Amino acid sequence: MKIELKIKTINISNNVDEGYKMIAFGDHEEEDNIENYLILQKANIFDEQDKELGMDSYYLEYNDQSNSGYGVCKEVILNKNKLSFYLLSNKNYEIEIITLELEPKNYDKEELELYLKEILGETLKIK
């Protein structure tokens, strides 16, 4: 299954006190009316328990926790205003690709690229 979303809001945050970086993408301009969303999150530091549980990577969530996981992408490609997530094959998920068309009027593309690199590491490819 392929999912395509037109993104109207992008929230980028560095939650220093809680120890993680996050990018939240939503399909409506009003945050109270977002129907579809994608969250990327990564802890600043991983402890031994995180490593043992396989949680020592980025976290991706699409619309709810039933569509979430750690390190679930083969690759993520940012090509101009399209951000495509190519998910690893998994019998539990039907989703293969999530493509976000980035349409917000005011977002800092350089900041977004920086956070995508910090969260996704080598999984991210920029074209």
Side-chain angles (χ1 to χ4, degrees), residues 52-68:
E52 289 170 11
L53 296 172
M55 297 168 55
D56 57 340
S57 183
Y58 60 89
Y59 172 79
L60 183 144
E61 179 177 314
Y62 168 70
N63 283 355
D64 64 46
Q65 288 183 342
S66 67
N67 295 314
S68 67

Side-chain angles (χ1 to χ4, degrees), residues 5-49:
L5 296 176
K6 292 184 186 290
I7 298 302
K8 304 288 186 186
T9 33
I10 300 173
N11 291 314
I12 300 171
S13 57
N14 184 5
N15 298 294
V16 176
D17 293 339
E18 296 180 30
Y20 66 90
K21 291 178 176 58
M22 184 172 79
I23 307 171
F25 301 92
D27 68 349
H28 279 76
E29 291 179 12
E30 305 86 31
E31 290 183 32
D32 294 340
N33 293 328
I34 291 175
E35 292 179 24
N36 296 292
Y37 68 86
L38 185 136
I39 295 173
L40 281 175
Q41 187 174 336
K42 186 174 182 184
N44 296 333
I45 299 171
F46 300 108
D47 62 21
E48 287 305 312
Q49 183 178 7

Side-chain angles (χ1 to χ4, degrees), residues 58-97:
Y58 60 89
Y59 172 79
L60 183 144
E61 179 177 314
Y62 168 70
N63 283 355
D64 64 46
Q65 288 183 342
S66 67
N67 295 314
S68 67
Y70 290 87
V72 295
C73 296
K74 288 184 271 194
E75 68 179 349
V76 178
I77 298 175
L78 177 61
N79 188 354
K80 296 179 183 166
N81 71 329
K82 291 199 188 256
L83 183 60
S84 298
F85 297 83
Y86 296 86
L87 294 133
L88 295 166
S89 298
N90 187 326
K91 294 176 186 170
N92 298 330
Y93 302 114
E94 294 180 14
I95 302 169
E96 297 169 359
I97 301 170

